[in-house]
Amino acid sequence: QFEGGARLLDWQHLTGTEQVQALLVTYRTAAAPLAAGPACICLAAHMRSNRLLAAALGCATALRLPWRRPARQPLPPAPQIFTPDDSRPVVLFDGECNLCNRGVNLLLDRDRCDADERGNLRVAALQSGVGRALCARLPPSEYARAVDEETGAYKSIVVAGAREAWVGSAAVLKIGRQLRGPLGWLAALGSAVPRRVLDPIYGFVSRRRKLWFGESDQCRVWDDDWEQRFVDDAVLRGDPG
């Protein structure tokens, strides 16, 4: 069984990406962590395709035991941004970074839109009032990873949810799992890699992103469904539009 007791028979009706994500859920939710790896491999044997990839993922999750993260404390509520009508996570990006702008454009184009027809994720610039308000909710250790406390420069992309946030490589993987196609597969597979391996790689690129890709003096992101995808500072004043 996996993900709350779904039958093994249902496994064959999942898409490839959903099968990989189910393997990850099996590992993360297993009552006995040591049993998660064999469980993933058992499920992988029932996949109709990409069995080697799934088996490798099962082995990787079994070996990931030393890097299991402790449960996070819920973040303070932000009722103006996360409402009953719209609680989608918000991707906070550096609006002055060309690489970040390109990444957000990719997100808008490739969003799976399976959890919400408006898009699984919303976006806002770190420099905006919404961005500053959501960053202020981060625990001190996470805030220090996202913002340089001396200069105020932004060091990392952030995905802010109603009660949880992701910073650095965790944010990239969180975004990737919401995308269609190969990027979603890569993100699902990358979730089995320890953060202490991925975070230094992310930091290396992040420190050089403006040198390599340049910067602009304003955000260059646009989408036809702007009102559905971008969180405007007006919400902080109680104006949903």
Side-chain angles (χ1 to χ4, degrees), residues 22 77-78 101 105 111 120 161 177 198 206-207 220:
N101 287 333
N105 281 325
D111 195 312
N120 291 355
R177 290 193 294 271
L198 294 178
S206 178
R207 290 189 295 271
R220 295 184 177 179

Side-chain angles (χ1 to χ4, degrees), residues 114-136:
D114 57 348
D116 192 307
E117 63 181 10
R118 298 169 297 181
N120 291 355
L121 299 169
R122 297 178 287 171
V123 298
L126 282 160
Q127 291 87 348
S128 67
V130 168
R132 293 192 297 270
L134 291 177
C135 281

Side-chain angles (χ1 to χ4, degrees), residues 27-41:
Y27 166 71
R28 290 171 178 163
T29 61
L34 189 59
C40 288
I41 296 173

Side-chain angles (χ1 to χ4, degrees), residues 102-167:
R102 294 174 189 173
V104 171
N105 281 325
L106 177 65
L107 181 164
L108 296 173
D109 290 338
R110 304 293 296 174
D111 195 312
R112 293 169 57 190
C113 301
D114 57 348
D116 192 307
E117 63 181 10
R118 298 169 297 181
N120 291 355
L121 299 169
R122 297 178 287 171
V123 298
L126 282 160
Q127 291 87 348
S128 67
V130 168
R132 293 192 297 270
L134 291 177
C135 281
R137 302 163 67 234
L138 296 174
S141 60
E142 297 287 270
Y143 184 88
R145 294 177 59 203
V147 183
D148 188 308
E149 298 187 35
E150 294 184 0
T151 65
Y154 297 104
K155 303 187 294 183
S156 172
I157 195 169
V158 177
V159 179
R163 303 307 301 272
E164 186 176 3
W166 299 261
V167 179

Side-chain angles (χ1 to χ4, degrees), residues 12 48 58 70 75 79 86 125 163 187 192 195 204-205 208-209 213 222 231:
Q12 297 181 352
R48 293 172 294 178
L75 295 176
D86 198 345
R163 303 307 301 272
R195 294 289 182 267
F204 179 83
V205 175
R208 294 161 176 81
R209 56 193 163 87
F213 299 94
W222 184 256
V231 186

Side-chain angles (χ1 to χ4, degrees), residues 171-191:
V172 173
L173 294 175
K174 174 69 174 178
I175 295 169
R177 290 193 294 271
Q178 310 307 314
L179 304 183
R180 301 190 306 271
L183 291 176
W185 277 88
L186 288 174
L189 185 60
S191 298

Side-chain angles (χ1 to χ4, degrees), residues 23-30 36 64 68-69 177 191-192 195:
L23 293 175
L24 291 171
V25 169
T26 300
Y27 166 71
R28 290 171 178 163
T29 61
R64 190 170 172 256
R68 282 181 64 87
R69 292 181 299 163
R177 290 193 294 271
S191 298
R195 294 289 182 267

